[in-house]
Every structure is written in C-alpha cells, then in structure tokens.
Amino acid sequence: MNNSIDSFYKQVEDTVRLGKAPMVIESGQGAYLTIKGKKQLNFCSSHYLGLAVDNRLKLAVKKAVEKYGIGTGYRTLAGTHILHVELENALARFKNAEGAIVLSGGYLANMAAIQTIIDKEDIVISDELNHASIIDAVRLSQVKNKFIYKHRDAKSLEEQLKQASIIAKRPKSNEEFPLILIVTDGVFSMDGDLAPLPDIVKLAKKYCALTMVDDAHGEGVMGKGGRGVVDHFGLHGQIDIEVGTLSKAFSVIGGFIIGKKALIDFYKQKARQFLFSSALTIPDTAALLEGVKILESSDELVKKLWDNTKYIKTAFKKLGFDIGESVTPITPVMLGDENLAVSFSAKLFEERVFATPIKFPMVAKGKARIRVIPSASHSKDDLDFGIKAFEKVAKELNVLSIGS
Ligand SMILES: Cc1ncc(COP(=O)(O)O)c(C=O)c1O
C-alpha cells in the first residue's frame, strides 16, 4: 500500500466535497435558460449579442456540416480548412488588422501570444487584475523579470517601466536585448472597467515596450459595431498584439490573435498551442464566420446590447445598488460578504432569475458580488423582470433601504 497515493486521493476527495457543482443548463443560451426543468431569466452569461441561439448561425452550421462534415485536425498537417482561412481573413478585416490567427480557445490564444515571443530573460509588466489566462501564460513563458502595476494606474506602470528599462539595457545570453512586454485586459471581466490604453501606448513608446491587450470582453461589445476596445480608443495599429475570444460575444468557442502580418505568420509557424493542438471543427468555424459577417454588415445587435446596458444600469442605480465603476455591459452588483452573495443568488433563483455569485478567488475576499450581464436577446420586459427580482431579494435580505 502506497501512503502517498492514499493521502493524495484523500486530499482530492476533501477538496471535491467542499466544491460546488455548476448548474446544468437544459436549453439553448438565449434570454431564458431551462434549469431543473424550470424557465430562468439568463442574467449572467457572456453571450452579449444573443448569437448562441441565432437562426442565421444555426443555418450556416447546417449548410457547412452538410457540405464538409464535422472534423478538421492539426492546422499544420491536414487540418487547415478553407473555412479557417476565411474566418481568419474575416476577423482581420473586421478588426482592421494585417493578419489574424485563430486558436481553439481564448485561454490558449493568451498562452500562444506570450509564450511564443517571451523567453526567460525578457521582461513582462502586467496589470494586477489581469485574467488568469494571462497570469498562466506569463508563468509558462518562465520569464524571470515580472513586474505588476497597480490596477489601471499609469503612474504605477511608469514606475515599473523605469525599473524594467534598467534591466533591458543588459544584453541577454544570446546577445539580444530583452523585450519589454506590457500586457493588460482590455475590459476587466469582474468589474467592467477599461484599461487606460492611450496612456499605455504613450508609455510603451517612451520606454520601447511591446503592448498586448486581451479584449475577451470587448470583442463584439466595445468600439464601432463591436470592433473592440482598441477601436473604442481609436488606437488601430498602435497595439502590437490583440487577443480576443470567440466564446463570449461571438458565442461559439475559440480565440484569436491579431497584429502585423509578419507577427501573425510567426505565430502560425512557432506557437506550440497552434502546432500541437487540433483546430476548430467545421460547425464551430462556420458559425463564427457567420457571426463575424453579421457584425460586419450591421451594428443592430451591438446597439441593442448598449440600450439594454443603459437601461439596467439606470434602474439599479435608482434602486440604490452599488454597481461599481463599470463602463461596459458587465454590471457588478456589489455585496461584499461572500455568504450574502450566495444567499442573494439563491433567492434570485427562486424568483426565476439565474445570476451566479462571484466570490474569492475570482475576486478579492470581501468583494463578493453578483455579476449581471444584459444581452441583446433581452427585451425590456425581460430586464424589468430581472430588476424587480433584484429589488425584492434586496428588501428581503436588507441589502438596501429601498423605497424607504
Ligand atoms: C479576460 C479573459 N481572457 C481570456 C478568457 C478565456 O477565454 P476562453 O473562454 O475563450 O478560453 C476569458 C474567459 O473568461 C476572459 O474573461
């Protein structure tokens, strides 16, 4: 009998016992979900534009599957399909970029974006609230010189850049000088606030640093017709590496990197996440291609998303909820206490509103919240239904002195 294996399984079981299994969705991801056989308002998913159940995507998938079947394979062997190429071209066109590479997840796209170009002796400077996939990507690169700046704080970033530029003067063992990479989320997923990209671009120029933005929550949401946070700030061509996900506003799966053509071609040759992992399937790719075409041809869904965002933020503020500093559809209803957030969410569920609690480690201890995300698939009646449920639960739990 091996004691270390017994103790390993005991730890595994103890941890699993404390965890909570996610709710199982029994319907499509539209304005409402079916959970445990009951209809619930979908108030927290990242399907910003309602494309997860859009008939145009369904039809595109049906046609593509009929024509091409399902599977693809390794992009570098026999897996690069004409639809992959069309999707990359469409994304580059939509984002006004020289080139795009599609990977099978946003998480993987961050890994590829950083690991491929950063080595141990380079330098990475990262916002303290960056997404876990950026943190993991930096770890994977094994870079030794990691600097963290205060959240969205250009002053703090400059302090780190000053230190970094001293290190960058010493050549690496291969005689090249170290790269400095500044990396940030575009829209911060838990708070809905934006990276100060104009300041970051200015500082990057001053200190000769590369810039990278992970715009998972900005794609399809921010900028003209959903072209993202770089477009929002009018900074086309000034951010070296832009990463996006295809699982949120685009409602399918996958991630992408856009940038200069040479850099994208370099990723296609060198990124391990591209070389050693299979490509998106035919249905995924066909649905995504249709999604990009829809956004290219009309901003109707993006406008509806923003109308709904304004409506819900105004209503929550009027009721007296603390909804943080968000300037995007992400609407955190701040509750602080973790148990309160859990009870709030459970009571909302009884009212037929599905909005999960967000707590440590997703946010710092004492900063628990319910993260509400309206979508283009909600009608005003749907939003009113959700807002009324929040008001009722807040009264029951004494969260606000509503109506007093
Ligand atoms: C900021 C950010 N980056 C990356 C990801 C990972 O994207 P994906 O789900 O496509 O792997 C997410 C997903 O939650 C995210 O919020």
Side-chain angles (χ1 to χ4, degrees), residues 56 225 227 292-302:
R56 291 164 292 184
R227 282 164 176 78
V292 180
K293 284 182 186 162
I294 289 171
L295 287 198
E296 274 186 307
S297 64
S298 160
D299 61 1
E300 192 189 323
L301 290 176
V302 180

Side-chain angles (χ1 to χ4, degrees), residues 137-395:
V138 173
R139 283 186 189 141
L140 188 66
S141 76
Q142 299 186 14
V143 67
K144 279 189 249 133
N145 298 306
K146 285 185 260 189
F147 295 89
I148 309 292
Y149 63 95
K150 287 195 195 128
H151 181 49
R152 298 174 63 227
D153 185 333
K155 242 188 180 171
S156 166
L157 170 58
E158 182 153 23
E159 281 159 20
Q160 310 305 315
L161 277 163
K162 280 183 186 154
Q163 290 187 52
S165 57
I166 297 168
I167 299 172
K169 287 194 182 107
R170 290 196 297 269
K172 303 193 285 187
S173 34
N174 65 3
E175 315 270 292
E176 299 285 339
F177 285 95
L179 266 181
I180 304 176
L181 174 70
I182 304 171
V183 56
T184 181
D185 281 19
V187 174
F188 289 87
S189 52
M190 295 300 149
D191 292 284
D193 48 355
L194 299 183
L197 288 193
D199 291 338
I200 291 176
V201 166
K202 256 188 237 151
L203 288 169
K205 282 186 185 146
K206 183 169 168 190
Y207 289 91
C208 271
L210 280 179
T211 46
M212 170 173 158
V213 176
D214 168 7
D215 203 22
H217 285 272
E219 307 295 355
V221 174
M222 301 299 298
K224 199 165 127 274
R227 282 164 176 78
V229 75
V230 172
D231 182 276
H232 168 82
F233 284 115
L235 290 171
H236 283 289
Q238 299 194 60
I239 295 287
D240 295 284
I241 303 158
E242 198 183 327
V243 169
T245 176
L246 297 165
S247 63
K248 300 192 190 298
F250 289 102
S251 281
V252 187
I253 189 99
F256 62 91
I257 311 172
I258 61 153
K260 289 200 188 338
K261 186 174 180 313
L263 180 61
I264 297 305
D265 289 346
F266 181 75
Y267 280 129
K268 285 181 182 167
Q269 279 181 21
K270 299 282 181 200
R272 296 173 70 78
Q273 296 75 5
F274 186 77
L275 300 179
F276 302 114
S277 183
S278 292
L280 294 182
T281 66
I282 296 292
D284 295 327
T285 319
L288 286 166
L289 193 51
E290 185 64 20
V292 180
K293 284 182 186 162
I294 289 171
L295 287 198
E296 274 186 307
S297 64
S298 160
D299 61 1
E300 192 189 323
L301 290 176
V302 180
K303 277 197 170 140
K304 176 116 189 273
L305 167 68
W306 279 97
D307 269 2
N308 284 348
T309 298
K310 278 174 202 143
Y311 188 81
I312 202 166
K313 282 189 197 289
T314 307
F316 277 156
K317 273 191 199 152
K318 212 165 148 197
L319 286 171
F321 284 109
D322 172 3
I323 56 167
E325 304 294 316
S326 172
V327 289
T328 67
I330 292 169
T331 306
V333 174
M334 301 297 187
L335 296 167
D337 182 71
E338 307 226 326
N339 293 331
L340 177 62
V342 172
S343 318
F344 204 107
S345 169
K347 281 192 173 283
L348 283 174
F349 195 78
E350 286 165 21
E351 299 299 321
R352 299 288 180 85
V353 173
F354 182 61
T356 45
I358 303 275
K359 52 196 177 86
F360 182 79
M362 283 190 279
V363 292
K365 284 194 173 137
K367 296 210 166 172
R369 65 200 64 181
I370 308 278
R371 185 181 59 163
V372 175
I373 307 185
S375 83
S377 49
H378 290 123
S379 67
K380 290 283 181 312
D381 284 348
D382 299 333
L383 297 178
D384 284 339
F385 180 75
I387 293 161
K388 280 215 173 76
F390 264 80
E391 183 179 4
K392 182 167 183 233
V393 171
K395 276 182 181 162

Side-chain angles (χ1 to χ4, degrees), residues 6-21 359:
D6 283 352
S7 125
F8 164 71
Y9 276 113
K10 185 173 176 321
Q11 280 176 40
V12 167
E13 281 162 19
D14 288 349
T15 307
V16 169
R17 210 170 298 120
L18 293 176
K20 194 171 175 289
K359 52 196 177 86

Side-chain angles (χ1 to χ4, degrees), residues 95-125:
K95 299 280 297 174
N96 195 8
E98 284 183 21
I101 171 175
V102 168
L103 294 110
S104 36
Y107 184 96
L108 282 185
N110 272 332
M111 295 281 161
I114 294 179
Q115 188 199 17
T116 314
I117 59 163
I118 294 295
D119 71 33
K120 276 183 200 158
E121 296 171 273
D122 288 315
I123 301 162
V124 176
I125 309 186

